[in-house]
Amino acid sequence: MSEWYDELTTEAKEIVLEKLSKIKNDEDLIEILEEYHPNGYLNTKPIQNLEEYFKYIRLATTDKTWFRGESCEHKLLIPKLYRNTSEKELSSILKKEHDFMMEFIRRSKSVEPNIDINDYWSWYFLAQHYGGPTRLLDWTTDAATALFMAINNKKDASINPIVYTLQPNVLSVYALNELDEKKYVEGQILYPGDDNTDLWISNITSMQNNIPQSPIPLLPAYTDPRIISQRSCFTLFGSRLNGFYKDGKEIVCSCCERRIRHKIIIDGTKKQSLRKELLKIGISYSRVYPGLEGITQDLNEEIFGIE
């Protein structure tokens, strides 16, 4: 039995043992891991090829699932603005975010003349895509792009990349119910301006720092080639720095207490072969990063080889 089993409660162990005795296929095992793995893993043996990866995508996700690739596992997923920030600095950091965005809009307007100067949402997403310190965390609706992001690094091969999965419709129910006392029972993918979403950027639009606590999932306007090519979507954090945790515990579905996020482990020794497999289905630098940067990286790989 795997080590993760030893971390379960006695009651959970009994349930898992019974379920394991009735396993008929991979889908049954994934369902057990999805519900009971204490660290949220969907697989215990790291993914070694594209066929295995898409098997897990097919069996463990839905058409609403979002994905995020990371070069290694992180205990917490935190947006850039909140990294190395403490609770006592929250008011100050939200004020700095406001100041940054005002200057970003002023200085970038000549570069992006088609975005209305008062379209704060579009400017906010744009700042995120070009390295700005925001409360946004990037996700994608494209599982292949997430895998590319996870393995596109030169970290030691002994370090396994991770693809995180997220159920955004469940997260939206959780976040909005915090505001409105269980009014929301059906999950929905949110768009900027829906319901109470403007509250999450009220520190930018009106310098009000009493933003909601939990992160919300948002689909951005397609105002930039990178947002389009990467099939971008975002979680926008509220005032809780470790947004996916509350009172020291990971937030779960309001209805069934299942996890909102899971993890797929990728074999770090197979990054090079996986990159080559992704190339065969059209996932390259220029597909993910359109423009001169992507073209240059593609040529480096085609002529000098993938390292």
Side-chain angles (χ1 to χ4, degrees):
M1 187 66 67
S2 300
E3 291 180 3
W4 67 270
Y5 175 81
D6 296 332
E7 298 181 38
L8 300 176
T9 64
T10 301
E11 182 181 0
K13 284 179 179 178
E14 294 178 359
I15 297 173
V16 168
L17 276 178
E18 182 180 358
K19 288 180 177 289
L20 287 172
S21 68
K22 299 177 181 179
I23 283 180
K24 296 180 180 179
N25 49 45
D26 290 336
E27 188 171 5
D28 290 341
L29 176 59
I30 290 172
E31 285 184 2
I32 294 171
L33 291 171
E34 186 176 15
E35 184 170 359
Y36 291 101
H37 197 294
N39 295 317
Y41 295 130
L42 292 174
N43 60 322
T44 53
K45 180 182 177 182
I47 298 294
Q48 297 190 331
N49 56 62
L50 213 52
E51 182 180 358
E52 288 181 4
Y53 179 67
F54 282 119
K55 178 184 75 175
Y56 278 89
I57 298 304
R58 176 172 55 84
L59 295 177
T61 69
T62 71
D63 60 347
K64 291 183 174 64
T65 303
W66 290 1
F67 308 90
R68 177 179 173 85
E70 290 280 0
S71 60
C72 61
E73 184 173 0
H74 298 287
K75 182 179 180 181
L76 300 171
L77 289 180
I78 301 175
K80 181 182 285 189
L81 186 73
Y82 282 170
R83 292 168 195 167
N84 303 313
T85 299
S86 64
E87 293 285 348
K88 66 180 182 180
E89 298 172 301
L90 180 62
S91 179
S92 172
I93 204 71
L94 291 175
K95 171 63 167 58
K96 289 180 179 179
E97 185 184 39
H98 167 272
D99 295 345
F100 173 88
M101 285 306 304
M102 294 302 101
E103 276 300 300
F104 178 76
I105 294 170
R106 186 179 74 84
R107 299 185 193 188
S108 304
K109 180 58 180 170
S110 62
V111 183
E112 296 287 348
N114 293 326
I115 302 179
D116 188 280
I117 199 167
N118 293 315
D119 185 357
Y120 294 108
W121 283 110
S122 291
W123 288 115
Y124 197 57
F125 292 128
L126 195 62
Q128 167 69 10
H129 254 281
Y130 286 91
T134 73
R135 288 175 284 117
L136 291 168
L137 200 62
D138 297 78
W139 298 79
T140 175
T141 58
D142 184 5
T145 295
L147 179 60
F148 178 92
M149 296 290 193
I151 63 177
N152 181 32
N153 64 81
K154 295 183 179 180
K155 283 187 180 291
D156 191 295
S158 64
I159 299 174
N160 290 332
I162 298 288
V163 172
Y164 290 86
T165 68
L166 175 74
Q167 303 307 320
N169 52 324
V170 180
L171 178 60
S172 66
V173 170
Y174 185 96
L176 292 174
N177 278 340
E178 276 194 334
L179 293 178
D180 215 353
E181 298 181 353
K182 309 298 180 184
K183 172 184 175 182
Y184 297 88
V185 293
E186 294 185 7
Q188 57 181 317
I189 307 299
L190 298 170
Y191 297 92
D194 277 354
D195 292 309
N196 294 308
T197 54
D198 286 343
L199 293 174
W200 270 262
I201 59 167
S202 59
N203 66 309
I204 296 170
T205 59
S206 59
M207 294 191 68
Q208 299 295 316
N209 285 352
N210 56 336
I211 58 176
Q213 293 185 24
S214 290
I216 52 169
L218 291 170
L219 288 172
Y222 278 1
T223 56
D224 183 78
R226 279 196 181 186
I227 292 177
I228 298 170
S229 63
Q230 294 177 13
R231 310 294 191 270
S232 296
C233 42
F234 300 91
T235 45
L236 172 56
F237 276 51
S239 60
R240 200 165 59 239
L241 301 184
N242 299 333
F244 290 113
Y245 286 79
K246 184 175 183 178
D247 299 327
K249 297 181 180 180
E250 187 162 3
I251 60 176
V252 295
C253 176
S254 305
C255 305
C256 63
E257 296 190 350
R258 284 200 171 193
R259 286 179 176 268
I260 293 174
R261 301 180 308 156
H262 289 88
K263 309 166 192 173
I264 300 175
I265 315 167
I266 312 299
D267 191 332
T269 66
K270 301 297 182 181
K271 288 188 289 187
Q272 187 177 28
S273 59
L274 281 165
R275 283 281 287 109
K276 291 178 178 178
E277 287 190 78
L278 284 174
L279 278 174
K280 291 180 181 179
I281 62 170
I283 305 300
S284 65
Y285 273 99
S286 59
R287 154 68 168 74
V288 177
Y289 300 102
L292 293 176
E293 178 186 354
I295 292 171
T296 302
Q297 292 292 347
D298 275 355
L299 287 172
N300 282 338
E301 290 192 350
E302 291 170 19
I303 296 175
F304 298 102
I306 297 177
E307 296 183 359

